[in-house]
């Protein structure tokens, strides 16, 4: 049963309109058990680790597909050419923007989930048992889990479409290599003489480069995909740095819930909630990096767009809530009021404000 279910998930991820459903199932398999164990994990550990798991499964699925495509060409080649094929196989897979988007998902999810767990066990104010949220009955947690898992799947879906586009480019390159190899000249003579297939790694890489840009449609779209990669890694790094900075400050001043202790420097000179801003930059990068592969697929545009819309709404709401809590606790304190004047941007940096210090 598990093998059959796994095969269905792999097939859905590789092609067809059920890819979102497969991602939804993967996310749910992570979120539901964690939420049943502890309600607060639905939007904390469940969020981070479900994103990581989807990234891992996507990467493994499309790597196996990539390996199978190239193996089909080099299966009958000489040992020397098979060695070259192994190198080309890795290089060609790692050269796609979708590969780096997948790695970004894995890094982001693992880092966030692990950080939230560490914070919950080391900072008393973040202990799950100290949460003021109303406890939801176990039976009612399933619909909640399914809802947030669908959102997580939609947010991750651009990477799935990116990997599908890279797989299509690899398939075209394999076909081009085979066609070139079987054409006239020395290769044709060797084939006619009954010798092993003369697979040319250089021809394959050239074919992959040509096919990938042809599949993207335009060079500009290829550049756009790599811009998305840069945005995703920048956002993930910014959020990690801001989280670490705030964790250290709160840990040092544990128990002081009355005085504003910051942080107010480094990333917190960019805006007042740089961790939320970094999260937005990350997910905008994932979306931008995947758009060149959406093509005319209405499902891809709608699912990815709704996922991005959802996370923007969540971050905006979270920022408003954080601002309200801080104003209630620290309003009137000189350090807090001075920091708000110097850093006027709550979620997004006010780049044209003279008093902004980077």
């Amino acid at each position: 049963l598990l093998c059959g279910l796994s095969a269905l998930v792999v097939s859905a991820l590789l092609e067809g309109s059920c890819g979102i459903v497969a991602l939804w199932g993967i996310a749910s398999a992570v979120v539901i058990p964690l939420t049943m164990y502890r309600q607060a994990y639905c939007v904390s550990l469940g969020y981070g680790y479900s994103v990581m798991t989807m990234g891992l499964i996507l990467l493994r699925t499309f790597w196996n597909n990539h390996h199978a495509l190239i193996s089909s060409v080099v299966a009958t080649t000489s040992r020397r050419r098979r060695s070259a094929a192994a190198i080309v196989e890795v290089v060609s897979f790692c050269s796609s923007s979708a590969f780096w988007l997948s790695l970004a998902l894995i890094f982001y999810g693992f880092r966030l989930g692990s950080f939230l767990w560490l914070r919950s066990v080391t900072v008393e104010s973040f202990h799950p048992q100290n949460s003021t949220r109303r406890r939801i009955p176990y039976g009612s947690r399933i619909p909640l889990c399914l809802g947030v898992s669908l959102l997580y799947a939609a947010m991750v879906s651009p990477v799935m479409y990116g990997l599908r586009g890279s797989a299509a480019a690899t398939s075209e390159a394999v076909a081009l290599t085979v066609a070139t190899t079987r054409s006239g000249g020395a290769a044709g003579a060797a084939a006619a003489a009954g010798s092993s297939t003369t697979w040319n790694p250089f021809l394959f890489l050239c074919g992959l480069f040509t096919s990938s840009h042809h599949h993207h449609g335009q060079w500009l779209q290829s550049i756009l995909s790599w811009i998305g990669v840069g945005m995703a890694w920048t956002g993930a790094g910014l959020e990690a740095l801001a989280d670490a900075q705030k964790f250290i400050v709160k840990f040092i001043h544990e128990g002081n819930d009355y005085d504003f202790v910051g942080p107010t420097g480094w990333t917190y000179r960019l805006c007042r909630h740089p961790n939320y801003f970094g999260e937005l930059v990350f997910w905008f990068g994932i979306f931008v990096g995947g758009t060149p592969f959406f093509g005319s697929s209405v499902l891809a545009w709608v699912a990815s767009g709704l996922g991005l819309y959802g996370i923007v709404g969540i971050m905006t709401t979270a920022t408003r809530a954080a601002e309200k809590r801080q104003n209630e606790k620290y309003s009137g304190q000189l350090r807090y009021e001075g920091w708000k004047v110097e850093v006027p941007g709550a979620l997004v940096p006010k780049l044209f404000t003279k008093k902004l210090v980077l």
Side-chain angles (χ1 to χ4, degrees), residues 75-100:
T76 59
T77 62
S78 64
R79 179 176 298 178
R80 180 180 177 184
R81 289 189 179 275
R82 284 199 297 270
S83 299
I87 298 173
V88 170
E89 182 178 358
V90 174
V91 171
S92 59
F93 188 71
C94 296
S95 65
S96 70
S97 58
F99 167 77
W100 292 99

Side-chain angles (χ1 to χ4, degrees), residues 117-134:
W117 173 82
L118 177 65
R119 188 181 68 174
S120 71
V121 298
T122 55
V123 180
E124 185 177 356
S125 58
F126 286 102
H127 286 182
Q129 58 266 33
N130 294 333
S131 176
T132 58
R133 293 178 179 174
R134 180 178 59 87

Side-chain angles (χ1 to χ4, degrees), residues 21-335:
V21 177
L23 290 176
W24 187 15
I26 295 168
S28 298
V30 176
V31 174
I32 291 176
L34 287 172
T35 306
M36 288 300 177
Y37 173 70
R38 187 156 285 164
Q39 177 182 319
Y41 287 169
C42 181
V43 292
S44 56
L45 272 67
Y47 170 38
Y49 288 139
S50 66
V51 169
M52 178 195 73
T53 304
M54 284 185 281
L56 284 169
I57 292 178
L58 282 170
L59 198 61
R60 177 63 183 271
T61 297
F62 283 90
W63 164 255
N64 289 342
N65 180 68
H66 182 81
H67 174 72
L69 284 171
I70 295 182
S71 297
S72 66
V73 180
V74 302
T76 59
T77 62
S78 64
R79 179 176 298 178
R80 180 180 177 184
R81 289 189 179 275
R82 284 199 297 270
S83 299
I87 298 173
V88 170
E89 182 178 358
V90 174
V91 171
S92 59
F93 188 71
C94 296
S95 65
S96 70
S97 58
F99 167 77
W100 292 99
L101 288 174
S102 302
L103 285 187
L105 284 178
I106 296 168
F107 167 78
Y108 176 85
F110 177 75
R111 198 284 312 173
L112 181 61
S114 301
F115 166 74
L116 293 175
W117 173 82
L118 177 65
R119 188 181 68 174
S120 71
V121 298
T122 55
V123 180
E124 185 177 356
S125 58
F126 286 102
H127 286 182
Q129 58 266 33
N130 294 333
S131 176
T132 58
R133 293 178 179 174
R134 180 178 59 87
R135 287 183 61 84
I136 301 175
Y138 285 103
S140 301
R141 294 184 189 184
I142 298 295
L144 172 65
C145 293
L146 293 176
V148 297
S149 297
L150 183 57
L151 174 62
Y152 300 158
M155 290 158 58
V156 168
S157 63
V159 178
M160 178 186 69
Y161 291 109
L163 287 167
R164 285 182 177 183
S166 296
T170 302
S171 181
E172 291 177 13
V174 166
L176 178 62
T177 305
V178 171
T180 305
T181 300
R182 290 176 178 174
S183 61
S195 63
S196 59
T197 305
T198 54
W199 182 79
N200 191 316
F202 177 74
L203 284 178
F204 172 76
L205 285 178
C206 291
L208 178 63
F209 183 76
T210 303
S211 299
S212 62
H213 287 89
H214 175 264
H215 186 75
H216 290 179
Q218 297 178 356
W219 283 81
L220 182 60
Q221 291 178 315
S222 178
I223 295 173
L224 182 65
S225 183
W226 282 104
I227 290 174
V229 172
M231 290 175 63
W233 280 100
T234 299
L238 174 61
E239 184 178 6
L241 183 58
D243 279 343
Q245 188 181 349
K246 191 168 187 176
F247 172 77
I248 292 171
V249 170
K250 295 297 184 183
F251 185 78
I252 293 174
H253 297 278
E254 176 70 11
N256 184 358
D257 293 331
Y258 305 101
D259 298 324
F260 178 71
V261 295
T264 58
W266 289 32
T267 60
Y268 288 82
R269 305 298 296 185
L270 185 64
C271 61
R272 296 199 295 275
H273 302 281
N275 50 343
Y276 294 163
F277 176 62
E279 187 161 356
L280 280 183
V281 173
F282 172 80
W283 287 113
F284 267 101
I286 293 295
F287 179 81
V288 170
T291 51
F293 304 95
F294 292 173
S296 59
S297 173
V298 175
L299 179 60
W301 285 103
V302 171
S304 301
L306 288 176
L308 184 62
Y309 178 80
I311 192 62
V312 169
I314 290 172
M315 289 297 99
T316 303
T317 302
T319 301
R320 292 197 187 105
E323 286 286 296
K324 182 180 179 181
R325 287 194 305 270
Q326 288 182 339
N327 286 330
E328 291 174 350
K329 293 176 66 175
Y330 309 124
S331 182
Q333 295 187 22
L334 185 61
R335 186 179 183 184

